[in-house]
Amino acid sequence: MGKNSMSLRGRDVLALADFSADEIQMILETAKEMKNIIHRDIKKVPALRGKSIVTLFYEPSTRTRSSFELAGKYLGADVVNITAGTSSIVKGESLRDTLYTVEAMGVDAIVMRHKAEGAAEYASKVVSPVIINAGDGAHAHPSQGLLNLFTIMEKKGRFQGLKAAILGDISHSRVARSDIQGMRKMGIEVHLAGPKTLMPRYLFEEDGIYVHDRVEDAIKNADVINVLRIQLERQKSGLFPSPREYARIFGINDARLQLAKKDVLILHPGPMNKGLEISPFVAYGPNSAIQEQVQNGVAVRMAILTHALTGGKEV
Amino acid sequence: MKTLIKGGRVIDPANAIDKIADVLVEDGKIAAVGENLQAEGAQVVEAAGKIVSPGLIDMHVHLREPGQEAKEDFASGSKAAAAGGYTRVATMPNTNPVIDTAALVKAMQKRAEEDAVVHIEIIGAVTKGQKGEEMAEVGDMTEAGAIAFSDDGHFTKSAKVLLNCYDYLRTFDKVIINHDEEPSLVEEGVMNESHRSAMLGMKGRPTVAEDIAVARDIMLAEYADAKVHVAHISSARAVDIVRQAKARGVKVTAEATPQHMTMTDDCVELFDSSTKINPPLREQKDVDAVLEGLKDGTIDCIVTDHSPHAQEEKDREYIYAPSGFPGLETAVGVMMTDLVHTGKLDVATMIERMTAAPARIFGIEAGSLAEGMPADITVIDPELEWTVDAKKFYTKGSHSPFVGRKLKGRPVMTFVDGKMVMKDGEILA
């Protein structure tokens, strides 16, 4: 399919598995233009004027929710936020009924985060507005996968032939799944490492995905390292002995970083547990793009909304 | 009152019959099976091209009475049974309250008499409240007519409690039906632990949880020289464990569902909770092993594990939806389409596993067309093509993974005690 004939208008954004490499590339190109808008003094374009977007969050979120909200507002859309704690959800309203209510108000897109894997897919079957998955359980977080790709593209100028390591809690991570899908589509080799208790027993059996026992093996000569957040509850539920041991054996610190390429790019989806999965020296060091990821998150989400709601024409 | 069912292929495994013959019913009993039977004044039912079998028996259904009538009740559930060709179903005690006393067994038998269009057998709880702590009054319940005992839905955590139940029940010669999944390994799990679950990010229920539970329960039964029946077996390894135990002479029997013999976890789609069942849909190697076990006799009978839920309970996020779907109305069609018509399973074996085998295991006077037996008869059209439509279900449940499937083969008549209760999918009230 030629780039010009490609339109994502009306497409739900549920998981990167549903998108081709060309489609991903197109969104990233648009995000580049969007990033320029963020740097302007007056950050407002009329691309989505007259469109309305609801963010429907069943789980707490700082950066994803606010960056979708700002993305919509920079593009001129009206954005309303609904969070579980302050809505009829606490009164026991079912997901179907909440979705019907939001749909009835005439919204064009619903940006949704939910603890249940598949909640966004379910929503896409129930209501007609475009559904944008902002994270469903451990399944998918496509906008995070895209913003990671965007950051890699900016810093490395290419995807093909790069080696990326994803470290930590692969089992429970929607970011890992979206990264794996997105990176593989763009030709990046993916190396996974972390405690076996946090690694799916049945591995991702696709080409170009490698699983290592030791983080050292995964990050050797890596161009990109994505350090996943370790939730402290995982230790409480017996998946690793102590935060201390985790940091010592699986954490990313300066010494370990020497194994990667000199210009390795460090990513982290946030929020960080500094001193656990990542040392502060790495998090704030010269290789870190963690702050940049947040800004890129707004640009990528502007691109996603533009493509899904207008087909990308009116940028 | 006489009925003559003419010219069908009579498959009656209990009596080693498989031939074109007539079946004569008189006063609610089987009067004769033979060629060219004549009967003055009998109502004649043409069955040429059809299979005539003893009424199908399902030893594992959840009819939800008492307390969960929004999901199902004896009227709707027994109609679903008749529509699916079943003349006798055994309902599980995980209700509200749990069926764990003789008084409740009798009350449910009364309810069955009032409302049901097929025979309903009552399975009692093994432990009080199915809590796995204290033995329920299984002796009293046996005398009240409970057909078997089960804490289905729960695994009996304490080996000591289960061993006591095995020992105690030997006096009454009753079978314990065990739901075998080690709980600490399936907590929060919603689907098979597999490549598919890894891709979807869903928490898994690994096969090993079933395997170690089956192994423990069989070893305890072997030690106690007691009878044990493994419910809805789904893992290849568990089938092997049963096979080896049978070879050693352990009094173990097992059952499997059509879904575990025809569907894999590849069918799990995140937006549709109809595939959420316990134990979960497994991988192809497990599906193949369960079918192989059914064929070689390791697995004795086919059950549906009919588990209807209310629409609003099942229509929600996959991880929050309850497990189970209604299977009574689709079982024969699915087995015929995916296993019989594909040449994987002989239809006579299928019928044996749905009639003679459950009757033998649970000591029921049924599952046979011998003269004098109650005239419970199922007529199946093996060639009838139909599409599964939840709107036409008699069950109150609507979420089935088979909805929309085109099937070939369907029960077209069900007789209970000589009375036709279903014809062409319609219940004759």
Side-chain angles (χ1 to χ4, degrees), chain B residues 238-253:
Chain B
V239 173
D240 247 351
I241 292 166
V242 173
R243 186 178 287 120
Q244 289 162 18
K246 283 192 163 184
R248 289 199 304 277
V250 182
K251 293 171 183 164
V252 57
T253 51

Side-chain angles (χ1 to χ4, degrees), chain A residues 95-96 114-119 121-122 125 136 138-139 171-172 177 181 200-206, chain B residues 188 190 193-195 197-203 207 269-271 283 311 315-320:
Chain A
L95 178 55
R96 177 180 286 273
H114 199 293
K115 177 176 180 285
E117 290 84 14
E121 279 179 72
Y122 174 88
K125 305 282 173 192
D136 62 326
H139 173 232
S171 281
H172 300 91
R177 284 178 181 76
Q181 289 168 0
R201 190 179 311 278
Y202 297 89
L203 299 169
F204 303 92
E205 290 155 350
E206 276 76 35
Chain B
E188 296 189 315
V190 295
E193 183 179 78
S194 63
H195 176 62
S197 70
M199 294 307 288
L200 295 175
M202 302 263 260
K203 293 196 176 65
T207 48
E269 295 288 353
L270 288 175
F271 54 85
E283 291 178 86
Q311 153 76 17
D315 172 31
R316 57 176 313 184
E317 301 91 325
Y318 200 97
I319 66 171
Y320 299 143

Side-chain angles (χ1 to χ4, degrees), chain B residues 47-68:
Chain B
K50 314 279 197 297
I51 291 165
V52 179
S53 91
L56 306 180
I57 300 171
D58 186 348
M59 290 305 297
H60 192 141
V61 302
H62 297 268
L63 299 190
R64 308 298 192 196
E65 267 202 54
Q68 301 167 335

Side-chain angles (χ1 to χ4, degrees), chain A residues 32-147:
Chain A
K32 226 188 266 179
E33 296 167 43
M34 295 299 175
K35 196 165 175 182
N36 294 330
I37 295 172
I38 302 172
H39 287 141
R40 286 184 201 162
D41 194 23
I42 307 293
K43 305 174 183 40
K44 201 96 174 175
V45 293
L48 297 184
R49 193 163 62 194
K51 303 280 186 189
S52 56
I53 298 164
V54 160
T55 67
L56 178 60
F57 273 59
Y58 285 78
E59 279 190 329
S61 161
T62 305
R63 64 207 76 210
T64 304
R65 197 198 55 71
S66 52
S67 67
F68 266 114
E69 180 178 355
L70 283 173
K73 288 181 169 167
Y74 290 163
L75 292 165
D78 295 306
V79 183
V80 171
N81 300 311
I82 300 175
T83 52
T86 57
S87 64
S88 56
I89 295 159
V90 291
K91 299 177 188 167
E93 187 171 59
S94 71
L95 178 55
R96 177 180 286 273
D97 290 342
T98 301
L99 289 165
Y100 281 159
T101 303
V102 173
E103 180 184 41
M105 293 176 186
V107 307
D108 299 286
I110 300 174
V111 177
M112 194 173 144
R113 161 146 322 166
H114 199 293
K115 177 176 180 285
E117 290 84 14
E121 279 179 72
Y122 174 88
S124 73
K125 305 282 173 192
V126 169
V127 290
S128 58
V130 168
I131 302 294
I132 295 172
N133 184 7
D136 62 326
H139 173 232
H141 193 354
S143 65
Q144 181 75 36
L146 287 170
L147 81 86

